[in-house]
Amino acid sequence: MKKRLKRKIEKRRRAEVHRVLDLVLDINGLGRRQEKLTGNLPTAFFDFSGHTAFLYVRVCENGWREKSRPDYTSDTPIDQKHLLQTINDLEVMKRVLSV
């Protein structure tokens, strides 16, 4: 029973990590996004640190440019509470940015 529960929890967390990545891709798209190339289209960054089990998400609402600070940052440990908050934040941001 314990193994089954662990697999179920991991499956749910993987689905949530995939959802975060999907939202980042929805905001950014697959092309290059720099302010000088795309104007004020939002730029999103997604990093996964396997050694610490953290996700790092950054969003520059008006496009990325050198030495700019992101408008949104999330350093999220991979657990249900924190991932759900990041997912909610990104869903709101996606609606607000109309992407």
Side-chain angles (χ1 to χ4, degrees):
M1 181 69 173
K2 193 172 187 177
K3 280 186 179 182
R4 183 174 163 214
L5 182 59
K6 282 184 179 181
R7 282 195 307 265
K8 188 174 184 178
I9 290 169
E10 181 165 341
K11 185 176 180 180
R12 185 179 330 132
R13 287 184 182 155
R14 287 175 62 94
E16 291 166 350
V17 170
H18 290 156
R19 181 66 183 137
V20 171
L21 178 57
D22 284 341
L23 287 163
V24 167
L25 292 174
D26 287 346
I27 291 169
N28 192 85
L30 292 175
R32 294 174 58 184
R33 287 278 181 101
Q34 296 177 10
E35 185 184 47
K36 66 182 180 181
L37 298 175
T38 60
N40 65 349
L41 293 176
T43 305
F45 302 86
F46 175 95
D47 294 303
F48 170 71
S49 292
H51 69 295
T52 59
F54 263 73
L55 292 181
Y56 301 93
V57 177
R58 309 282 181 268
V59 179
C60 300
E61 292 179 5
N62 295 310
W64 178 87
R65 64 185 174 283
E66 194 173 344
K67 298 181 183 177
S68 67
R69 293 184 154 280
D71 299 298
Y72 172 80
T73 62
S74 175
D75 301 340
T76 308
I78 296 179
D79 62 37
Q80 186 177 16
K81 180 178 84 171
H82 292 95
L83 281 172
L84 291 178
Q85 181 61 50
T86 299
I87 289 168
N88 289 335
D89 292 348
L90 290 171
E91 286 175 343
V92 168
M93 186 167 293
K94 180 182 168 186
R95 280 193 304 271
V96 168
L97 296 174
S98 301
V99 291

